[in-house]
Amino acid sequence: MKGKTWFNKACIALVTLIVAGLPILASGCGNGNGSTTPPPGSNTDAVKNPIKVGIMAPYTGAAASKGKPMGDGVLDAIKYINTELNGVQGHQIQPVFRDGQYNAPIETTIINEFISPSSGIVMFTTQASAEMTVVMGIANEAGLPGFTVFSAPNITQPAKHQFASFPDYGDDWVAFAKYYLANIWKGTGKPKMALHLLNNSTGQGAKDAADKSAASLGIEIVAVETHTSTTASEIESLTRIKAKNPDVIYISSTPPPTAVILKNAATLGITPGVTIGCGGASFTSEMVNLAGAAAEGVFGIYPTVAWGDNVPAMAKMTEYLTKNHPEDANNMDYITGWAEGLLIAEILNKAITNTPGGGNALTPALVEANGFKKLSGFDVGGLQGPATYTVGDNRFSKTVKLYQVKSGKITGIGSWIDAPYIDYGFK
């Protein structure tokens, strides 16, 4: 009996030693790549926690004509990713959606919520350059990475923690100006251009580009007028512009003010006759609906494909729009929102893949380093130019498209237009 008891105790001791040693053995095994840390993306947690993303949109207020369809698009895209694709590597995206109302104090309150460690938010987005201009200082100081859908040069230059889905309003102006010179202008000497600009970053971005590039392109800027997002009449400003006898007017604004300007220009007899071009924030079906016949023939730069174009994401996006938000039909701002959702998912996918511990280990700094800055040639379902991070250039895509209103419909002209990086020297 004594011998058997001793044997039993020895067996128990040996088993205990082996079990106790397993964590040590496991921790020293490595992963086959020369490191003792888990391979990128090896999230061994039994439960994959949701990942919180802050989303700010002017869903109501002065810019709701853009903010609502964009907000609808991004939330629908996230719903699709969560329900049909099981989230991102098994992690559900948890949107923390807030209506900024195009109101700076409200937007400031929202970003302070987003940067709070207790929020658990690892990245955020805005829809409008005006929103991001208000909040980016706070977000940059806190190290919370984000991207805005519509952008201005001041947001991504100098490059800090904020990025942009597309080329900015300055890029829009340059793209239109080059097209105008090459394909529309038939006169001699320099064409005379007037600018009509929203009195925030939407307008300032276009002015920054004109200030920097108009002379070298061979364009004379003869007038610069500004307007508010709630303007009801621009007869006085357009009368001043008309006195300068411009060949072309460029508008960088949102749809309702743009429609006012177009109708007033027709009333004053400026159009037809003077070419009008618009930046991306102006140029949607909402503008065409509001302006009516006054929109006919107007050109516009926009950063996405049009509804019905043959690209991979079109069918699923159309399915969700038809089911959830039929009121947004034909509004290209919904497309930018859907693309935003796909970008959020790809940034998180890259971050999970490149972060030891995977999704449950993500922090804002890791999402920026391992997600934002790892984007490379992501096709965004064909909805926009490929998304790539380039050191010093925080714009994800570098192409735009030209459109024109023909028979009341926004119609594409040609293929993608490159938008090379422009250094504005901002500090």
Side-chain angles (χ1 to χ4, degrees), residues 205-263:
K207 185 175 184 297
D208 288 338
D211 288 346
K212 184 174 181 64
S213 302
S216 62
L217 289 173
I219 294 175
E220 181 185 359
I221 303 299
V222 296
V224 178
E225 297 284 349
T226 61
H227 56 269
T228 67
S229 60
T230 57
T231 184
S233 174
E234 290 299 323
I235 291 291
E236 289 186 10
S237 62
L238 286 166
T239 299
R240 292 191 292 269
I241 286 176
K242 185 178 181 180
K244 299 291 185 178
N245 194 30
D247 301 295
V248 55
I249 298 173
Y250 186 82
I251 304 168
S252 188
S253 186
T254 52
T258 301
V260 169
I261 294 167
L262 294 177
K263 289 191 286 188

Side-chain angles (χ1 to χ4, degrees), residues 364-425:
L366 289 171
V367 169
E368 181 174 359
N370 296 337
F372 280 79
K373 294 185 176 181
K374 298 297 184 182
L375 283 178
S376 180
F378 177 55
D379 68 1
V380 202
L383 298 176
Q384 64 180 74
T388 295
Y389 168 71
T390 305
V391 176
D393 184 358
N394 281 12
R395 305 169 306 153
F396 291 148
S397 71
K398 281 82 171 172
T399 56
V400 294
K401 297 197 77 171
L402 179 72
Y403 294 89
Q404 186 180 21
V405 180
K406 297 182 178 181
S407 301
K409 295 183 179 180
I410 293 175
T411 305
I413 299 175
S415 57
W416 292 101
I417 301 170
D418 290 334
Y421 178 78
I422 301 171
D423 186 355
Y424 289 93

Side-chain angles (χ1 to χ4, degrees), residues 100-158:
Q101 300 177 40
Y102 220 51
N103 181 297
I106 294 173
E107 291 157 359
T108 301
T109 297
I110 292 169
I111 196 61
N112 281 315
E113 175 194 356
F114 286 177
I115 67 171
S116 172
S118 63
S119 74
I121 289 171
V122 297
M123 63 171 287
F124 79 105
T125 68
T126 67
Q127 314 310 304
S129 65
E131 290 176 311
M132 184 59 88
T133 297
V134 169
V135 306
M136 66 184 184
I138 297 170
N140 281 333
E141 185 175 350
L144 180 66
F147 70 87
T148 184
V149 178
F150 285 94
S151 183
N154 66 296
I155 292 169
T156 57
Q157 296 187 35

